[in-house]
Amino acid sequence: MRMPIPDATIIANRQQLIDKLSTFLTSKQIVIDKTTLRAYESDGLTAYQQRPLLVVLPENTAQVSEILRICCEMNVNVVPRGAGTSLSGGALPLEDGIVLAMGKFNRILDIDYDNRCVVAQSGVTNLAITQAVENRGFYYAPDPSSQIACSIGGNVSENSGGVHCLKYGLTTNNILGVELVLMTGEVIRLGGKYMDPEGYDLLGVITGSEGLLGVVTEVTVKILQAPQCVRAMLLGFPDNESAGQCVAEIIAKGIIPAGIEMMDELAIHASENFCHAGYPLDCQALLIVEIDGPQAEVDELIQVIRDIGKSRGSQYFKVSSSDEERLRIWAGRKAAFPALGDISPDYYCMDGTIPRKQLSRVLTKMTELSKHYGLRVANVFHAGDGNLHPLILFDANKDDEMEKAEEFGADILRLCVEVGGVLSGEHGIGVEKRDLMPDYFSEHDLNQQQRLKCAFDPNGTLNPGKMFPTLHRCAELGKLHVHKGKLPFPELPRF
Amino acid sequence: MRTEFSIEQLQNAGLAEMESILRKCVHCGFCNATCPTYRLTGDELDGPRGRIYLMKDMLEHGSKPVSEVVRHIDRCLSCLSCTSTCPSGVDYMHLVDHSRAYIEKRYTRSLFDRFYRALLANVLPSPDRFRTLIRLAKLLSWCRPLLPSTVSASIKLAVNSQISTGQAHAGSVFKTNKQKRGTVALLQGCAQQVIGKHINDATIRILNRSGFDVHILNENECCAAIEHHLGKEQRALERIKTNLKSWASQLPQFDALISNASGCGTMLKDYGHLLKSDPEYSSLASLVSGKTKDICEFLHENESLVFSTPRNNKITYQNPCSMQHGQRLSKQPLSLLEQAGYKIESLPDSHICCGSAGTYNILQSDLAEKLGQQKTQQLESTGADIIASGNLGCMTQLQQYSGLPLVHTIELLDWASSGPTPMALNKNF
Amino acid sequence: MQETLLPENQDQFAELARFCLSEKKSLAISGNNSKSGFGYSVQADIDASMSACTGIIEYDPAELVMRARAGTTLNEIKTVLTEQQQQLAFEPETMSALYSNSREDTIAGVFASNLSGSRRFQAGSARDHLLGFNAINGRAELYKSGGNVIKNVTGYDLSKLICGSWGTLSVLTELSFKVLPAPAVIVTAILDDLNTEKALGLLSTLATSPLHASGLALLPGGIKSALESNVTQANCTSLIRFEGSRTSVDARLREFQTSYASQMSVSLLEQDESLQIWKALSSASPVAYHPVIMKLSIPPSLALRMSQLLNEIGNCNWYLDAAGAWFWLGLETTKAVENINRFRSSLAEENGSAILYKAPDEIKNKVGIYSPAQVTLESLRLRIKESFDPANIFNPGRLDYQK
Ligand SMILES: Cc1cc2nc3c(=O)[nH]c(=O)nc-3n(C[C@H](O)[C@H](O)[C@H](O)COP(=O)(O)OP(=O)(O)OC[C@H]3O[C@@H](n4cnc5c(N)ncnc54)[C@H](O)[C@@H]3O)c2cc1C
Ligand code: SF4
Ligand code: SF4
């Protein structure tokens, strides 16, 4: 993985930049010391590290705007960072760029039950939003497994999903507005406490833009009333295939569960070890199926799902009997990635999505690849929407394992594309999948996306080196090459 | 996580242990979310993940610690909230303890810091000196605004503390007048015997009432937690060994060593780990750790208490970090309080530290004050009339900010099982 | 009227775009022109329609995804989905009543105009369901975005930009979208007893109740005749829709009646009648006969004030949907400009949108189809348009306000 060549002038101007920033930021808001800067050198993807030029911790939008204006003027790169839990290296620093850390944006600004929304600064954690409204029976639907830690601004930038997004959608379907600072320092507001803004859907395109289009300082999210009744079921299976078929059949029956997750044996064991949720340890595959809604509907569906499970050979079935138990079941699932840290020093988490019907083909191939590379792989899977999370287990202290894991990962993602899927379901491209983009997109596809980037950030100083494998200058991309065309086919049918 | 220790470094048992702790961290950042200091500053450097990274860097390079790194490690409360949160089982406690000792050895603090830390390490563990110092501090309270923040914070704490009268002597035995179920030893706590004797009294009454004879343990002043957390490793180890030596002969007769200050309990439970490779003391140390029980843990296990005078006051329970994160005890005190009839108002963010943290509210008074105020506001927002806690340090900290009475769990349990009204409640209840 | 070109596939369209680029010609792009009344009038050299590129390319109900060519009609898609008990959950309905024509909507038109119906507040609008597409940009390049799976964050989410861009950014040629199980049972509860304030209160309580009502509309008295349904003539009618399995709907209805409407007389509209009425509401039919039509999207807490303002202004008809988050509003041309400005200013910054769906050109030109935008936003919008269509060959002027 190669990052853009750092600009020596910027590095040489470090002190000048510090001086400018110090005119309106306190010393506690600028991390300068080279040793402490190292703590910022990775996000949730530790495979790559880079010490940033500086870390800056603004406290309000005016400061963000001023920082960006100065960086724009001095042509300094800026890497926005929320909670640093990205698994694709979206917040990986640059040697010639500052990290704009949004950790101080941690206040909830407005809880508006009448309009069923919450306005929060972008550094507020996903879970904190739900916690702020749960005493009134509300919650914020997207719940990435990292929800305890990840920031809502990071969620917007990655368009994060979660275990409930089959039914309730991703971040993009659950936010109403943002305040955004452009690289020039200009502040714009998109959307608000209402549904359909006018004009182009900029809010939609900001969501999932991985910090390349603007810095999110404030987010307005929808909140939902908690369902009347929620139950989680555990269904254990002797193999992945039967579990996969069970999922297909549930959906074919017209049931959209609130969540439907699958874990394989390694993941079951690691998670159970942390959360003691009562996962069956003798199963090869475990499904967690959550049903919510009116009591009568839930009771009915539990029965249906239990029967489907049985017909697919489930060897274990249990329904949560209390909310506490249900939450424990989810706590185990949500801690599944880091819990694997207990059995392997490092993991590399993949995130491809496939058409669900391809599951068994992909799993079989993955087992072969696992043998080929000599690396174990654990599988955690958002089964309802086909989003795979194979976790390749390796030891970064061993010479070539990191490289092997990377290659293995790339093979898995190529496989996803080959069967009609995509490179990333929810973790984003970042630096991790950047160089695989051409496996999925043609040059035209990528150019169009980069031109959009140019509309927001013509100098390309906001989070460069992420998402796009090759950096084109905007001037070059913007050139219009006109080829001689002819009015096609006079034989074209007309009115 | 990848580490870069050399083969020689790994031959050192201590470093090898640190390396195995570090390797478990996968840098997921979950822990930041529940770290009190990160929540205040939003700076990675003030969160566990950042601290782990800084410690890793420091230990790998074997270098002299730089002041910025020391500053951020110092700001850690050792509350261990991060450890409860971590799904990967990273043993943060031993990592930070090791690093504190590393810093203490290799880093030269300012003259004042050195003096003050030495003062704390010398005075707090010694009840006599501590008593004198409190008296002195009370006299000096008028000049607080003129003093450095650390001194000023200490004085404020002292002013809010009441020196207890009378003393239980090491070696005394309190016999049960009920049918005898066993014999336990009570750890009085160094500071607790000076300003919280009523807590020990209540503990003795309750244990007697439950059918246990109580021996007051000769602690040689302190369990060593204070020195340990200040990074004074050698002195801490010596003190532990002295303690072990003086307890060795009595140990077999005790069914349990009872601690009613969760900070001390956590320390005792760690003796075994700290001395695990000491040929002379390892087995004794692990015996002590194995026998140590928090009073609530013990009562809960023995189910021997009868609440003859149940109470129904509205209380909220502040679970000390050393209890909930250090010893992983959360349900036991709550369930006992419920059995005693109390109505428990649930506390938001109950996993977050109140800022007391041993000597933290003296050495890091600005952060401690913010945490204390935050916690108080939350405690008071529950609408409870009484705040219950299981650690004297927390109670002293919160007393500075809250108008509500602060009562040790054990006093409340005592009260509900025909004991006297807790001291803090005497006036109003 | 100019002739309309009908390319049969995306390559032909790319060729056409290349021609326009090199000859500096502009293109008016349409599906079946069912919504041509939206936006400023387009002056283009060539008209082209996607209506000849038709057909469903891929549909596997269990994958919850369908892929179709741009010109496939909405009706055809609905028919195929219904056979599999599936649906487009965002409830797109034809707008032909509004634009007084009987042309069929194409699926590309549905997405390009970001349609949505009464279920909007729960299920989102077209933009929430478009998973990916092929399109031709203003450089005559065929490109794709998104994919054919229901969860995807690979690259920018251009689907969102395309929805609601009304053919000004690219020409859609193929679209993949999410399809979901259709409810087996639909029942609408109708309440006539409440005044607007009480009704709004009830609707907003229901919007946050776990009863999961999927339609919450309110019709003032004068408007109902337009519905041609047997809803009685009361002052103000609240419509509450429940969908799902029989057991679920029955249980929720029971709870609705006991916990929310115990003292009220409730009548029920079953299946087909229910379908009909929501179809009408989703397509703005009740106000469609007015020459000027707006859709207001506001924070629901402003609904009461908005309804009072509308009644005060008079000479207009309206109904509200999505528990007060949406108003469809029909005005007469007299005083329209003044009134539109009044709504817009009452929705001061950030408090909502007021889109002019239909009006004679002179009114559009006076007030704009959108409220005036912040300068930074407007220039950003122009840069975005340029990034897709640098020579401005697609639907020139359709969304560009020129005073
Ligand atoms: C254990 C674990 C489990 C996870 N599970 C899930 C899951 O279930 N679903 C899921 O979708 N993701 C998951 N993730 C990935 C990650 O948590 C999400 O991508 C999350 O949204 C990142 O948020 P963050 O605040 O940590 O952002 P960061 O990691 O700090 O940044 C992510 C990206 O967003 C940009 N960014 C951050 N803040 C801003 C801002 N304010 N303005 C502009 N750009 C910004 C950054 O530049 C970067 O490109 C998981 C991660 C971990 C470690
Ligand atoms: S939660 Fe555990 S694994 Fe994750 S960053 Fe913190 S210490 Fe490391
Ligand atoms: S011990 Fe407490 S203060 Fe220290 S890093 Fe962990 S959570 Fe933070």
Side-chain angles (χ1 to χ4, degrees):
Chain A
M1 205 267 319
R2 288 240 300 276
M3 292 307 280
I5 300 160
D7 181 340
T9 347
I10 297 176
I11 299 174
N13 288 340
R14 185 171 186 260
Q15 192 52 46
Q16 197 191 341
L17 178 63
I18 296 173
D19 294 343
K20 284 199 181 177
L21 293 172
S22 306
T23 58
F24 63 100
L25 298 173
T26 66
S27 63
K28 284 184 190 155
Q29 289 178 277
I30 316 178
V31 182
I32 298 171
D33 176 83
K34 297 217 161 148
T35 321
T36 41
L37 276 175
R38 285 205 65 187
Y40 279 92
E41 71 183 14
S42 291
D43 52 20
L45 176 69
T46 48
Y48 309 114
Q49 310 96 26
Q50 171 59 55
R51 184 163 59 195
L53 190 65
L54 295 175
V55 174
V56 184
L57 295 134
E59 269 170 356
N60 52 48
T61 306
Q63 288 180 352
V64 174
S65 159
E66 188 60 11
I67 294 165
L68 290 183
R69 200 188 56 73
I70 291 172
C71 289
C72 189
E73 200 177 276
M74 296 179 65
N75 217 20
V76 175
N77 292 319
V78 175
V79 178
R81 174 179 168 118
T85 67
S86 165
L87 289 172
S88 54
L92 178 72
L94 298 165
E95 195 180 337
D96 58 351
I98 64 162
V99 165
L100 189 68
M102 302 300 285
K104 292 190 188 290
F105 276 65
N106 56 9
R107 272 181 315 123
I108 291 183
L109 303 173
D110 183 13
I111 300 179
D112 185 344
Y113 291 108
D114 286 342
N115 292 313
R116 321 188 274 268
C117 64
V118 167
V119 184
Q121 288 187 314
S122 63
V124 171
T125 63
N126 172 297
L127 186 62
I129 295 180
T130 290
Q131 283 172 342
V133 295
E134 67 191 353
N135 60 339
R136 290 267 302 257
F138 284 82
Y139 72 111
Y140 172 61
D143 58 342
S145 304
S146 51
Q147 70 178 145
I148 182 176
C150 62
S151 72
I152 191 68
N155 289 177
V156 170
S157 300
E158 298 285 13
N159 190 13
S160 299
V163 293
H164 290 98
C165 64
L166 176 62
K167 183 161 176 185
Y168 294 103
L170 300 151
T171 305
T172 189
N173 314 109
N174 286 279
I175 61 172
L176 294 169
V178 297
E179 180 186 71
L180 184 80
V181 187
L182 301 179
M183 189 63 216
T184 49
E186 291 163 298
V187 182
I188 58 177
R189 300 190 70 91
L190 304 172
K193 295 179 175 178
Y194 57 97
M195 293 187 300
D196 292 300
E198 301 173 351
Y200 294 149
D201 187 356
L202 301 189
L203 180 61
V205 84
I206 286 300
T207 313
S209 66
E210 305 197 10
L212 271 72
L213 300 184
V215 176
V216 179
T217 46
E218 185 192 297
V219 187
T220 305
V221 306
K222 276 196 244 177
I223 48 172
L224 305 180
Q225 176 76 36
Q228 193 174 49
C229 171
V230 194
R231 291 268 187 289
M233 281 163 266
L234 295 176
L235 289 95
F237 291 89
D239 53 64
N240 290 317
E241 275 74 48
S242 350
Q245 284 160 357
C246 179
V247 175
E249 198 172 325
I250 290 173
I251 290 175
K253 282 243 159 75
I255 303 171
I256 300 289
I260 179 158
E261 296 288 309
M262 188 168 149
M263 296 203 248
D264 72 1
E265 198 193 0
L266 262 178
I268 300 172
H269 281 254
S271 310
E272 175 64 15
N273 196 19
F274 168 66
C275 73
H276 311 292
Y279 293 170
L281 297 175
D282 54 348
C283 295
Q284 294 298 308
L286 176 68
L287 287 183
I288 306 175
V289 186
E290 182 157 289
I291 295 290
D292 65 9
Q295 179 83 47
E297 180 179 327
V298 171
D299 292 344
E300 185 185 8
L301 292 181
I302 288 178
Q303 210 39 55
V304 176
I305 290 170
R306 176 183 203 142
D307 291 344
I308 297 176
K310 232 185 248 162
S311 73
R312 294 294 170 183
S314 68
Q315 59 196 104
Y316 179 88
F317 180 87
K318 178 171 136 183
V319 190
S320 65
S321 55
S322 65
D323 245 18
E324 196 196 344
E325 185 181 10
R326 184 177 67 82
L327 293 175
R328 214 169 41 244
I329 289 176
W330 283 118
R333 163 60 188 87
K334 289 183 177 170
F337 302 172
L340 283 160
D342 207 14
I343 60 172
S344 163
D346 300 275
Y347 61 73
Y348 191 34
C349 174
M350 300 285 96
D351 172 44
T353 305
I354 54 167
R356 250 183 297 95
K357 59 181 171 228
Q358 301 286 357
L359 181 65
S360 86
R361 177 169 157 204
V362 170
L363 289 179
T364 315
K365 185 81 211 238
M366 213 143 41
T367 317
E368 280 167 28
L369 288 169
S370 166
K371 282 206 195 94
H372 171 77
Y373 285 102
L375 295 176
R376 288 183 298 170
V377 57
N379 263 298
V380 178
F381 179 36
H382 299 301
D385 39 33
N387 187 191
L388 294 170
H389 290 316
L391 291 120
I392 303 170
L393 306 183
F394 70 102
D395 181 344
N397 281 12
K398 290 203 182 127
D399 271 348
D400 56 344
E401 287 209 349
M402 172 73 217
E403 285 72 34
K404 273 203 215 154
E406 275 183 300
E407 276 171 45
F408 187 177
D411 281 350
I412 293 178
L413 293 181
R414 281 192 206 103
L415 177 64
C416 291
V417 173
E418 193 184 303
V419 302
V422 296
L423 297 171
S424 179
E426 55 178 16
H427 295 166
I429 301 300
V431 292
E432 182 216 6
K433 285 155 251 167
R434 186 193 67 188
D435 296 340
L436 291 170
M437 286 285 263
D439 284 277
Y440 183 70
F441 285 122
S442 73
E443 198 179 335
H444 283 166
D445 306 344
L446 286 172
N447 285 351
Q448 184 54 59
Q449 296 188 35
Q450 288 201 49
R451 288 194 191 101
L452 178 72
K453 155 92 172 154
C454 293
F456 282 85
D457 173 25
N459 297 335
T461 42
L462 196 54
N463 216 0
K466 316 290 168 66
M467 190 153 9
F468 299 111
T470 30
L471 281 181
H472 297 294
R473 296 198 164 279
C474 288
E476 184 188 313
L477 275 173
K479 278 190 202 127
L480 186 58
H481 304 281
V482 180
H483 302 286
K484 191 73 189 151
K486 55 180 193 310
L487 181 61
F489 22 86
E491 69 282 6
L492 233 154
R494 302 176 187 199
F495 284 144
Chain B
M1 193 164 54
R2 182 196 206 111
T3 53
E4 280 161 18
F5 288 96
S6 68
I7 297 176
E8 296 79 66
Q9 280 177 311
L10 293 181
Q11 252 129 45
N12 173 310
L15 268 187
E17 187 191 347
M18 294 311 116
E19 122 105 18
S20 72
I21 295 175
L22 287 165
R23 298 225 57 200
K24 278 205 172 174
C25 175
V26 293
H27 216 250
C28 68
F30 281 21
C31 50
N32 277 0
T34 60
C35 170
T37 53
Y38 180 80
R39 288 159 56 112
L40 283 182
T41 71
D43 187 348
E44 182 78 22
L45 303 171
D46 285 322
R49 183 174 60 169
R51 289 188 176 117
I52 290 172
Y53 219 82
L54 296 179
M55 293 188 270
K56 168 169 120 70
D57 201 50
M58 178 175 80
L59 298 177
E60 278 172 353
H61 288 97
S63 53
K64 195 162 165 316
V66 295
S67 61
E68 272 301 288
V69 173
V70 174
R71 190 166 86 88
H72 290 288
I73 307 284
D74 281 352
R75 281 152 73 99
C76 167
L77 296 142
S78 275
C79 69
L80 303 183
S81 175
C82 47
T83 312
S84 292
T85 306
C86 175
S88 186
V90 172
D91 179 3
Y92 180 87
M93 178 172 91
H94 289 113
L95 179 63
V96 77
D97 286 347
H98 181 101
S99 302
R100 290 207 154 107
Y102 182 97
I103 290 171
E104 188 65 20
K105 267 195 217 118
R106 293 176 182 76
Y107 180 72
T108 324
R109 294 178 186 274
S110 73
L111 194 64
F112 177 79
D113 274 6
R114 264 181 285 158
F115 164 74
Y116 214 77
R117 293 171 83 92
L119 183 77
L120 291 176
N122 280 310
V123 171
L124 293 184
S126 153
D128 292 336
R129 286 182 222 150
F130 183 45
R131 204 172 288 114
T132 318
L133 194 76
I134 291 186
R135 295 208 173 101
L136 185 69
K138 287 193 184 218
L139 288 176
L140 284 176
S141 65
W142 58 272
C143 60
R144 253 183 70 210
L146 309 174
L147 298 168
S149 62
T150 33
V151 184
S152 159
S154 332
I155 293 181
K156 185 159 173 227
L157 282 169
V159 172
N160 278 297
S161 310
Q162 297 273 333
I163 295 185
S164 311
T165 46
Q167 238 176 317
H169 294 285
S172 353
V173 181
F174 296 82
K175 292 224 177 268
T176 176
N177 55 9
K178 296 270 158 47
Q179 184 181 359
K180 184 167 163 181
R181 301 181 57 191
T183 306
V184 298
L186 175 68
L187 198 75
Q188 288 196 94
C190 51
Q192 186 150 300
Q193 43 186 293
V194 179
I195 56 173
K197 178 172 165 287
H198 49 288
I199 300 173
N200 290 339
D201 294 344
T203 311
I204 296 169
R205 280 194 297 272
I206 252 189
L207 284 166
N208 284 168
R209 223 174 277 140
S210 312
F212 292 93
D213 284 349
V214 182
H215 290 236
I216 303 296
L217 206 56
N218 176 7
E219 256 169 89
N220 310 301
E221 305 189 321
C222 174
C223 64
I226 290 175
E227 289 138 338
H228 185 61
H229 291 307
L230 286 168
K232 306 204 178 289
E233 192 189 13
Q234 228 27 61
R235 282 182 44 182
L237 284 178
E238 275 157 28
R239 191 184 288 281
I240 294 174
K241 288 180 190 165
T242 319
N243 280 345
L244 289 174
K245 255 188 282 186
S246 67
W247 300 341
S249 61
Q250 294 169 283
L251 268 186
Q253 60 170 315
F254 300 139
D255 299 310
L257 302 184
I258 300 294
S259 146
N260 56 13
S262 52
C264 312
T266 312
M267 183 74 223
L268 260 74
K269 288 183 177 180
D270 200 36
Y271 275 15
H273 183 95
L274 290 172
L275 291 174
K276 67 175 182 304
S277 40
D278 186 303
E280 195 182 341
Y281 288 96
S282 66
S283 59
L284 195 53
S286 66
L287 186 65
V288 166
S289 294
K291 283 200 175 187
T292 304
K293 300 267 175 199
D294 183 83
I295 177 71
C296 288
E297 183 184 13
F298 184 76
L299 293 175
H300 193 260
E301 272 170 20
N302 281 287
E303 291 177 356
S304 48
L305 207 53
V306 181
F307 294 104
S308 48
T309 49
R311 307 280 157 187
N312 58 3
N313 307 60
K314 267 206 296 198
I315 65 170
T316 185
Y317 176 67
Q318 190 278 128
N319 200 348
C321 296
S322 40
M323 187 98 115
Q324 60 173 326
H325 305 305
Q327 303 182 48
R328 299 290 168 104
L329 302 173
S330 304
K331 287 206 191 104
Q332 294 84 339
L334 282 174
S335 128
L336 287 169
L337 285 166
E338 247 160 22
Q339 286 169 36
Y342 295 99
K343 210 173 151 296
I344 299 171
E345 304 293 334
S346 78
L347 176 67
D349 285 340
S350 58
H351 56 289
I352 296 295
C353 180
C354 68
S356 162
T359 54
Y360 193 88
N361 50 2
I362 297 175
L363 294 171
Q364 299 288 339
S365 50
D366 54 334
L367 289 175
E369 185 166 337
K370 285 197 190 119
L371 291 171
Q373 278 162 351
Q374 234 173 45
K375 179 62 74 185
T376 305
Q377 194 221 332
Q378 277 167 330
L379 285 163
E380 293 182 350
S381 77
T382 62
D385 300 320
I386 300 172
I387 304 173
S389 178
N391 193 35
L392 181 68
C394 310
M395 294 162 67
T396 323
Q397 159 81 344
L398 292 170
Q399 233 149 33
Q400 303 179 93
Y401 309 105
S402 180
L404 292 178
L406 278 134
V407 186
H408 195 286
T409 316
I410 209 65
E411 293 181 83
L412 290 171
L413 297 179
D414 182 36
W415 189 28
S417 53
S418 78
T421 314
M423 204 169 82
L425 301 185
N426 263 339
K427 295 168 223 129
N428 319 312
F429 288 77
Chain C
M1 210 179 112
Q2 265 165 258
E3 263 186 305
T4 301
L5 299 178
L6 292 168
E8 284 174 331
N9 54 47
Q10 50 194 22
D11 297 331
Q12 287 185 358
F13 212 109
E15 187 65 39
L16 175 58
R18 229 172 343 263
F19 168 78
C20 292
L21 260 182
S22 71
E23 300 303 311
K24 301 209 172 8
K25 302 273 187 221
S26 57
L27 266 176
I29 305 145
S30 64
N32 281 329
N33 260 319
S34 62
K35 293 176 277 292
S36 56
F38 186 90
Y40 309 99
S41 64
V42 174
Q43 305 296 334
D45 304 314
I46 301 172
D47 289 351
S49 159
M50 291 307 289
S51 58
C53 294
T54 57
I56 292 170
I57 303 168
E58 208 182 316
Y59 173 41
D60 181 349
E63 296 291 332
L64 306 175
V65 178
M66 181 185 268
R67 187 169 181 86
R69 291 194 189 85
T72 319
T73 63
L74 178 60
N75 279 335
E76 180 185 343
I77 285 172
K78 282 189 177 175
T79 312
V80 172
L81 288 174
T82 309
E83 279 165 16
Q84 303 292 332
Q85 285 101 45
Q86 290 194 329
Q87 64 170 359
L88 294 171
F90 58 102
E91 226 179 341
E93 291 301 339
T94 179
M95 291 277 140
S96 53
L98 197 136
Y99 296 114
S100 318
N101 63 49
S102 53
R103 295 190 275 265
E104 283 206 42
D105 302 67
T106 61
I107 194 65
V110 165
F111 283 98
S113 56
N114 193 24
L115 282 195
S116 62
S118 299
R119 214 181 280 121
R120 167 72 177 97
F121 68 110
Q122 277 183 349
S125 60
R127 54 93 82 179
D128 296 290
H129 296 255
L130 185 61
L131 301 170
F133 61 85
N134 281 6
I136 291 150
N137 64 16
R139 296 163 183 270
E141 296 164 346
L142 178 66
Y143 72 96
K144 75 158 179 289
S145 171
N148 296 320
V149 286
I150 50 179
K151 197 168 172 203
N152 179 10
V153 297
T154 314
Y156 292 134
D157 194 356
L158 302 184
S159 295
K160 299 288 181 294
L161 264 185
I162 286 293
C163 287
S165 67
W166 295 91
T168 60
L169 297 179
S170 294
V171 183
L172 288 164
T173 59
E174 288 179 9
L175 302 91
S176 292
F177 42 89
K178 193 163 131 180
V179 295
L180 287 165
V185 174
I186 304 171
V187 178
T188 303
I190 297 195
L191 291 171
D192 281 331
D193 298 349
L194 303 173
N195 63 24
T196 312
E197 185 172 354
K198 290 236 170 73
L200 266 174
L202 175 67
L203 295 186
S204 97
T205 314
L206 286 169
T208 56
S209 86
L211 290 186
H212 211 75
S214 64
L216 293 164
L218 185 153
L219 305 179
I223 213 168
K224 277 165 306 189
S225 50
L227 276 174
E228 294 170 29
S229 122
N230 47 2
V231 176
T232 52
Q233 291 288 330
N235 270 335
C236 165
T237 302
S238 316
L239 299 160
I240 298 142
R241 175 171 64 180
F242 297 100
E243 299 174 299
S245 71
R246 186 83 254 175
T247 337
S248 165
V249 169
D250 287 349
R252 283 182 288 159
L253 267 175
R254 260 197 311 279
E255 179 158 355
F256 167 67
Q257 286 180 320
T258 50
S259 314
Y260 298 84
S262 59
Q263 305 297 320
M264 305 172 211
S265 76
V266 179
S267 51
L268 300 180
L269 291 186
E270 293 283 337
Q271 209 71 5
D272 286 349
E273 271 184 312
S274 221
L275 279 171
Q276 219 178 48
I277 202 166
W278 291 100
K279 198 168 174 163
L281 292 176
S282 295
S283 58
S285 303
V287 295
Y289 60 91
H290 284 271
V292 178
I293 309 258
M294 292 198 94
K295 186 160 96 179
L296 309 182
S297 194
I298 60 172
S301 63
L302 299 183
L304 184 62
R305 239 174 51 218
M306 185 52 73
S307 73
Q308 287 159 348
L309 177 72
L310 294 173
N311 292 342
E312 206 176 286
I313 283 170
N315 207 13
C316 68
N317 275 302
W318 58 270
Y319 65 93
L320 66 81
D321 207 340
W326 253 10
F327 280 69
W328 276 108
L329 173 61
L331 300 155
E332 291 307 308
T333 43
T334 37
K335 287 177 107 184
V337 170
E338 186 190 326
N339 287 336
I340 291 170
N341 286 332
R342 212 164 142 190
F343 309 138
R344 285 197 173 146
S345 58
S346 79
L347 291 179
E349 224 182 309
E350 281 180 63
N351 267 333
S353 67
I355 303 178
L356 191 54
Y357 264 73
K358 179 174 85 176
D361 280 353
E362 70 269 18
I363 292 183
K364 285 186 194 164
N365 291 336
K366 277 210 184 96
V367 294
I369 55 165
Y370 299 135
S371 320
Q374 196 190 341
V375 183
T376 322
L377 258 178
E378 182 57 17
S379 61
L380 180 59
R381 188 186 73 83
L382 292 174
R383 290 200 300 275
I384 290 173
K385 160 83 177 165
E386 200 189 323
S387 73
F388 283 86
D389 179 19
N392 196 17
I393 59 172
F394 295 147
N395 282 348
R398 190 168 198 188
L399 301 180
D400 296 316
Y401 181 53
Q402 260 125 19
K403 204 159 189 163

